[in-house]
Structures are given as C-alpha cells and as structure tokens.
Amino acid sequence: MATMYENDIQVRIGFLIKGTRKKLGISQRDLADGICSQPMISSIERGDYIPNAILFMQLCGRLNISLDDSFLKEELKMGSRKLGGQIFDLCKKHRYAEMIAFMDQPTVIDDLSSNEDYQTYYYYYGCGVYQLYHDAISAKRYLKMAFMYASHTKKTEPRSEIDMLVMNALGVIEAKLGNMESAYQYFKVSHKAAMLMQDSRENINVVGYQYGYALFLDERYQEALKVLLPAFDRVMEIESYFMLPEYALLIMNCYKQLGNDRVADKYKAQFEVFKDLN
C-alpha cells in the first residue's frame, strides 16, 4: 500500500511529465519510444507509478525538463543595484526570455563596471539560455566567459559566492553533456570551497545538492551521502529552508538504495516537515 509520501511524489511527477509532454505536443507513444512502454507513461502520468531514477532522468532528458530551475535564492551583487535587482527579479520569476532581452540592451552592457559585474552578467546569461532553450553548448560558452572573470588567479579555487556558483553551473552543464569527469572536477572544487567558506548566503545551498544528485544518478550512493550530509548540516546551521526538502528527499533515496530503511525513514519525516516551509 502506498504511503502518503509516495502518493505525493507520484502525483507531482505525473503532473510534471504530463504537463511538459502536452506543452511540447509530444504523444505518449513518442515519449516512450526506446525508453519504456506507452502504458507505463500512462501509469506515471496518472500518478499510479513512481519511475526509478534512471527512467525519470531519461524522460526528463527527452522532455528537456531541467531539475534545477530554482538555482538562486538571493540577489547576486552587482555594481548597479538597480540593474542587478531587475535581472534577479526576472530570473526568480522564470521569465528567461525577458531577462535575456533585457540583458541584451546596450545600456545594460554599459552599466557593467567590474570583473564581478561581468562574471555575474554571464552567469545569469548562461543559466538563462539553458533554462529557456535547453542549449547546453551555448550555456557552457557563456558560463566559460563568466569563469574567465573569476576573482581567483589560478581559476581553481573559488573565493566568492559567484565563483562557486559559476563552477557549480559548469558542473551541471558538463553533466548534461555527458562529460562526467569534467563535471565532477567542477563539482568537487566548488563543493570544497562552499564547505570551507564562512558564508551564510543561501545561494550556496545548491552546490552540495547538485554534486550529490549527480553522484546519485551514477548510483554512487555512499559518495553522494559524503557530499550531501555535511551540505545538509550547513543549510541547517545557517537556518535556511532553501533546498532543505530536496536534500532530505535525496538523502532518503540514497539510504533506501543502500537498504538502510531506518535512516531513510528519518529523512522521509524531515522531508514531510520541510516541503511546505518555503
């Protein structure tokens, strides 16, 4: 018998898959082709079946569903507070087409006055391009430009919030492109810096999660927990709720895969508490 938690997840996944499929005008048969059966798609969309992680990622890949839409919680610093505020507002509302059109204006370019401004500008631009077009190659190009404006001279040790976010985003994009060795290198460096840096900025919460999620998809559950657990503790220590439900859910699934149902149930209970707090 399905628990309340399982029913909740089944419904959420069903709505996500069905809504995106219909928006793109893809039939259930076309979505299923080469991945699973059409009846299984129907079961998922009705909320009768929870796909495993591999099947879910295959379906998300075909539907160009990004699992990291909420990549920022707080506004990033820019020389012009008005400029930074406008870009951040459009980003938070997922109005990426308007955000990119706004950033393409010559007056916006003219307002950039420091390396950090340019780094933040290209970070927003790269993330916006990916969210809007799901074009990983173009997103990588813009994020690499952001990387070149990094505050660290060796470009291997992030020293600021935006440094870490750029490297982490490059890890996400490399993973989308299937370049896992490069992805893990970016994740490892940004995560290490995030854990060492005494910074309570909530945007950093995404760093450990996305690294852990990549490891989870690779079925490297023990390694994922070594990343996720201290990152989860950091989020708790700074009294933030941003990403807490996602952490609890992912940690729970790692323990379930490892056969540790007792600890998995602990994090399932935490997920139930956190999921409605944001």
Side-chain angles (χ1 to χ4, degrees):
M1 181 179 294
T3 65
M4 183 182 299
Y5 161 77
E6 289 168 338
N7 284 330
D8 181 60
I9 294 299
Q10 286 172 203
V11 170
R12 290 187 186 195
I13 290 176
F15 274 126
L16 175 66
I17 298 297
K18 183 177 181 178
T20 308
R21 178 181 64 77
K22 287 196 168 186
K23 184 177 179 181
L24 295 175
I26 298 174
S27 69
Q28 287 186 344
R29 178 176 295 180
D30 288 340
L31 175 58
D33 186 36
I35 296 178
C36 62
S37 68
Q38 184 272 327
M40 181 170 287
I41 297 295
S42 182
S43 294
I44 292 170
E45 292 187 349
R46 289 197 309 269
D48 294 336
Y49 175 74
I50 301 178
N52 62 38
I54 295 174
L55 174 57
F56 183 51
M57 288 304 298
Q58 288 176 321
L59 295 176
C60 286
R62 181 157 294 175
L63 292 170
N64 284 326
I65 294 174
S66 172
L67 301 179
D68 49 2
D69 282 338
S70 298
F71 56 88
L72 288 178
K73 176 69 172 179
E74 302 171 291
E75 179 183 335
L76 296 174
K77 297 175 183 177
M78 295 187 78
S80 169
R81 290 298 303 275
K82 182 179 179 181
L83 173 61
Q86 286 178 280
I87 296 173
F88 176 71
D89 184 60
L90 292 169
C91 174
K92 282 296 291 179
K93 293 176 180 177
H94 306 303
R95 292 160 58 180
Y96 300 115
E98 293 176 62
M99 184 182 86
I100 290 172
F102 174 74
M103 295 176 72
D104 280 339
Q105 296 180 66
T107 53
V108 171
I109 305 293
D110 291 342
D111 275 346
L112 304 177
S113 59
S114 67
N115 281 354
E116 187 175 35
D117 280 353
Y118 280 100
Q119 186 183 21
T120 304
Y121 175 90
Y122 284 118
Y123 170 74
Y124 273 123
Y125 207 102
C127 292
V129 164
Y130 182 75
Q131 297 290 357
L132 185 60
Y133 302 113
H134 303 287
D135 182 350
I137 297 296
S138 293
K140 180 177 176 179
R141 183 185 310 121
Y142 291 115
L143 289 169
K144 279 285 192 177
M145 292 173 73
F147 189 69
M148 295 304 295
Y149 285 101
S151 61
H152 45 93
T153 54
K154 293 182 180 179
K155 296 185 172 58
T156 56
E157 300 176 1
R159 296 180 180 177
S160 66
E161 174 191 28
I162 185 61
D163 284 352
M164 282 182 279
L165 292 175
V166 169
M167 292 195 76
N168 185 71
L170 279 166
V172 171
I173 293 300
E174 292 287 16
K176 300 290 184 185
L177 292 169
N179 305 327
M180 297 310 298
E181 184 176 349
S182 180
Y184 283 133
Q185 184 59 36
Y186 281 124
F187 282 138
K188 182 178 180 180
V189 173
S190 56
H191 174 65
K192 180 180 178 181
M195 297 307 295
L196 291 174
M197 187 174 291
Q198 300 298 314
D199 196 322
S200 61
R201 294 279 291 177
E202 292 184 281
N203 290 332
I204 297 173
N205 296 4
V206 305
V207 174
Y209 177 81
Q210 290 173 331
Y211 184 12
Y213 189 64
L215 289 166
F216 175 82
L217 293 178
D218 256 359
E219 300 182 5
R220 296 162 63 174
Y221 306 120
Q222 292 281 11
E223 293 174 72
L225 287 172
K226 288 180 181 179
V227 170
L228 293 166
L229 291 171
F232 178 82
D233 289 342
R234 175 197 166 275
V235 177
M236 295 284 285
E237 287 169 6
I238 67 172
E239 299 181 347
S240 169
Y241 294 119
F242 179 52
M243 301 297 297
L244 266 185
E246 289 84 356
Y247 271 106
L249 182 60
L250 188 52
I251 291 169
M252 183 209 77
N253 279 310
C254 285
Y255 279 116
K256 284 183 74 70
Q257 292 295 329
L258 292 169
N260 193 334
D261 291 336
R262 181 182 61 81
V263 180
D265 286 343
K266 169 189 170 183
Y267 284 95
K268 180 174 77 172
Q270 291 191 347
F271 169 78
E272 293 289 352
V273 172
F274 298 143
K275 68 178 181 178
D276 296 320
L277 291 178
N278 280 337

